[in-house]
Amino acid sequence: MPRRLLILLGALAIGALFLAGLFVHGRVGGGLLVVTDAVLIGLSRVVWDEINPRRRPIRIVIIAAIAILAVVKLVHG
């Protein structure tokens, strides 16, 4: 399988996991968001040195926002 196709499929899978976490209520939705966040953190750690330093803060903000959503769903679930 070509590398670009694998990257596209991975991005679609993470996007689907994130959307499922948003739309599923309660602890299950929060758990899906935690998994999404964990995958994004892992991927970011792998490519951190290759990321443009000006783009790093937005990644941190996105990861933090997903973590906050996950905590809210877990607490209020």
Side-chain angles (χ1 to χ4, degrees):
M1 207 176 256
R3 187 167 190 251
R4 286 187 179 195
L5 182 58
L6 287 174
I7 292 171
L8 177 63
L9 289 175
L12 288 174
I14 293 300
L17 190 64
F18 173 71
L19 288 175
L22 285 180
F23 289 111
V24 173
H25 297 291
R27 292 187 176 145
V28 173
L32 292 171
L33 291 174
V34 167
V35 171
T36 302
D37 224 18
V39 170
L40 291 177
I41 290 168
L43 290 173
S44 292
R45 288 186 66 192
V46 170
V47 298
W48 192 256
D49 291 335
E50 299 172 20
I51 300 171
N52 183 336
R54 291 187 294 177
R55 293 186 179 171
R56 290 177 184 171
I58 191 68
R59 284 198 182 220
I60 294 170
V61 168
I62 290 169
I63 289 170
I66 294 172
I68 291 168
L69 284 172
V71 168
V72 168
K73 282 192 170 250
L74 289 170
V75 169
H76 294 293

